[in-house]
Amino acid sequence: MCGRTSCHLPRDVLTRACAYQDRRGQQRLPEWRDPDKYCPSYNKSPQSDSPVLLSRLHFEKDADSSERIIAPMRWGLVPSWFKESDPSKLQFNTTNCRSDTIMEKRSFKVPLGKGRRCVVLADGFYEWQRCQGTNQRQPYFIYFPQIKTEKSGSTGAADSPENWEKVWDNWRLLTMAGIFDCWEPPEGGDVLYSYTIITVDSCKGLSDIHHRMPAILDGEEAVSKWLDFGEVSTQEALKLIHSTENITFHAVSSVVNNSRNNTPQCLAPVSLVVKKELKASGSSQRMLQWLATKSPKKEDSKTPQKEESYVPQWSSQFLQKSSLPTKRGTAGLLEQWLKREKEEEPVAKRPYSQ
């Protein structure tokens, strides 16, 4: 499932991260709809607004369906046929939509049939693993593997399409497949746009954390096909809905458990204590033996704790029974990314509380 995400980038930076090529091969940036509703956050929960990509054709009848709009939408789909005046009175959960029942439930089948496909944008999402033998749950931050790029030295808006890629040198956004709908209050008022995230069976690497994961669109081609409902049929688009192994993760602190907390600490890596009963073999066992003698925490046990905790590069190795290979350097890149963002941390608006 997916019940918590992070999307903290400032609006102009988020826009540059979503640069794309239209049907004519022209490099473009998506345009915003209701930009003032976007509220960056390290800890987004259902019923809050999150940015999604969708085709311009949803708003303009004569538009090219390959052109894109970014719009903040309410997380938790409110069906267009809902008759109550208060969306919070919806009696069932529409935060997620299971891929195997998507064509069976009216709430999802109807908007999907109308081509109301969107891509939910996030730094990554959080998931909680139940700890064996206890009532505790360990949170993890899950995201695309990252590739280090040269810093451009520019923080302002790009002045031409040729510079967009050079200016953008931050985190690769996670792109999740979603469905949206438009609901009009019975007594009149503004139309409410809301969405749900499609989920699938977890990939092998994440199955020990949770048995479900978002349907992740990995790459520009997949994103384009999912959004372009004018050219890509529903049947063809649904072929894109499946799990992916191109994912990595690391443990985070319990700070993220409370949706009111909106700080970089929510997604900062933490090291986990390796339990004695943990069984491993092959390379994992050799890693554990190395940790037993070379653990940075043991070597620094007599020194005062620093403000910034040590960020292990082997974070995903600590998950019990996980077969996900180590993504070396990714956690380190996250730490560098957070340091760069620290001085320009977005001002948190009043957080939503569930």
Side-chain angles (χ1 to χ4, degrees), residues 222-241:
V223 170
S224 294
K225 287 183 176 180
W226 182 252
L227 291 178
D228 194 354
F229 72 100
E231 296 292 330
V232 181
S233 67
T234 299
Q235 288 185 338
E236 284 299 310
L238 288 176
K239 294 178 181 178
L240 301 168
I241 304 303

Side-chain angles (χ1 to χ4, degrees), residues 48-108:
S48 63
D49 288 342
S50 296
V52 305
L53 285 174
L54 65 161
S55 170
R56 181 188 290 275
L57 188 58
H58 290 294
F59 301 107
E60 301 173 17
K61 292 183 179 180
D62 298 326
D64 182 345
S65 59
S66 70
E67 295 182 7
R68 302 177 188 177
I69 296 290
I70 301 183
M73 291 190 186
R74 178 189 186 272
W75 185 3
L77 187 145
V78 180
S80 58
W81 46 262
F82 183 61
K83 301 301 182 182
E84 297 284 347
S85 59
D86 184 359
S88 64
K89 293 183 179 180
L90 191 66
Q91 296 298 309
F92 46 92
N93 191 338
T94 57
T95 299
N96 295 154
C97 165
R98 291 181 62 97
S99 61
D100 50 347
T101 60
I102 196 171
M103 299 304 292
E104 300 174 7
K105 297 186 177 182
R106 181 186 175 195
S107 300
F108 307 132

Side-chain angles (χ1 to χ4, degrees), residues 169-184:
D169 52 24
N170 283 278
W171 211 245
R172 180 189 175 190
L173 292 174
L174 197 65
T175 44
M176 300 175 283
I179 302 170
F180 75 93
D181 209 347
C182 312
W183 174 78
E184 297 185 30

Side-chain angles (χ1 to χ4, degrees), residues 10-290:
R11 191 171 67 202
D12 62 329
V13 179
L14 182 69
T15 306
R16 293 198 300 272
C18 295
Y20 70 100
Q21 288 188 347
D22 63 17
R23 204 184 315 280
R24 297 180 295 276
Q26 182 179 355
Q27 190 80 354
R28 302 176 66 99
L29 292 179
E31 295 184 11
W32 279 84
R33 181 183 175 89
D34 298 326
D36 293 338
K37 292 183 179 180
Y38 172 54
C39 178
S41 175
Y42 294 95
N43 197 353
K44 285 188 172 293
S45 58
Q47 298 187 35
S48 63
D49 288 342
S50 296
V52 305
L53 285 174
L54 65 161
S55 170
R56 181 188 290 275
L57 188 58
H58 290 294
F59 301 107
E60 301 173 17
K61 292 183 179 180
D62 298 326
D64 182 345
S65 59
S66 70
E67 295 182 7
R68 302 177 188 177
I69 296 290
I70 301 183
M73 291 190 186
R74 178 189 186 272
W75 185 3
L77 187 145
V78 180
S80 58
W81 46 262
F82 183 61
K83 301 301 182 182
E84 297 284 347
S85 59
D86 184 359
S88 64
K89 293 183 179 180
L90 191 66
Q91 296 298 309
F92 46 92
N93 191 338
T94 57
T95 299
N96 295 154
C97 165
R98 291 181 62 97
S99 61
D100 50 347
T101 60
I102 196 171
M103 299 304 292
E104 300 174 7
K105 297 186 177 182
R106 181 186 175 195
S107 300
F108 307 132
K109 180 180 179 180
V110 172
L112 182 62
K114 295 179 180 179
R116 291 176 175 174
R117 309 193 298 254
C118 65
V119 173
V120 183
L121 302 172
D123 311 321
F125 71 98
Y126 301 98
E127 194 53 85
W128 282 259
Q129 180 199 31
R130 293 189 180 278
C131 301
Q132 297 180 359
T134 70
N135 294 326
Q136 297 181 343
R137 297 192 302 167
Q138 172 59 51
Y140 288 86
F141 183 59
I142 304 168
Y143 49 98
F144 272 137
Q146 304 298 313
I147 299 175
K148 187 175 182 179
T149 59
E150 294 297 327
K151 289 193 65 176
S152 65
S154 173
T155 57
D159 54 2
S160 67
E162 292 76 15
N163 291 331
W164 290 340
E165 186 174 352
K166 296 178 182 178
V167 170
W168 174 246
D169 52 24
N170 283 278
W171 211 245
R172 180 189 175 190
L173 292 174
L174 197 65
T175 44
M176 300 175 283
I179 302 170
F180 75 93
D181 209 347
C182 312
W183 174 78
E184 297 185 30
E187 299 177 355
D190 295 336
V191 174
L192 175 66
Y193 287 84
S194 59
Y195 72 90
T196 184
I197 296 175
I198 301 174
T199 64
V200 296
D201 290 334
S202 281
C203 63
K204 189 176 181 181
L206 295 181
S207 59
D208 288 326
I209 296 180
H210 199 278
H211 65 285
R212 304 289 295 179
M213 69 179 291
I216 295 170
L217 301 167
D218 188 3
E220 177 59 24
E221 182 180 358
V223 170
S224 294
K225 287 183 176 180
W226 182 252
L227 291 178
D228 194 354
F229 72 100
E231 296 292 330
V232 181
S233 67
T234 299
Q235 288 185 338
E236 284 299 310
L238 288 176
K239 294 178 181 178
L240 301 168
I241 304 303
H242 51 74
S243 62
T244 177
E245 293 289 347
N246 186 28
I247 205 76
T248 191
F249 59 88
H250 61 254
V252 295
S253 76
S254 59
V255 169
V256 74
N257 293 358
N258 189 332
S259 61
R260 295 184 180 89
N261 294 332
N262 176 20
T263 68
Q265 190 178 356
C266 289
L267 49 71
V270 298
S271 63
L272 299 182
V273 176
V274 180
K275 298 180 180 180
K276 292 183 178 180
E277 65 267 24
L278 177 63
K279 295 180 180 181
S281 59
S283 60
S284 295
Q285 189 173 18
R286 289 193 293 273
M287 175 64 76
L288 292 173
Q289 292 173 350
W290 183 86

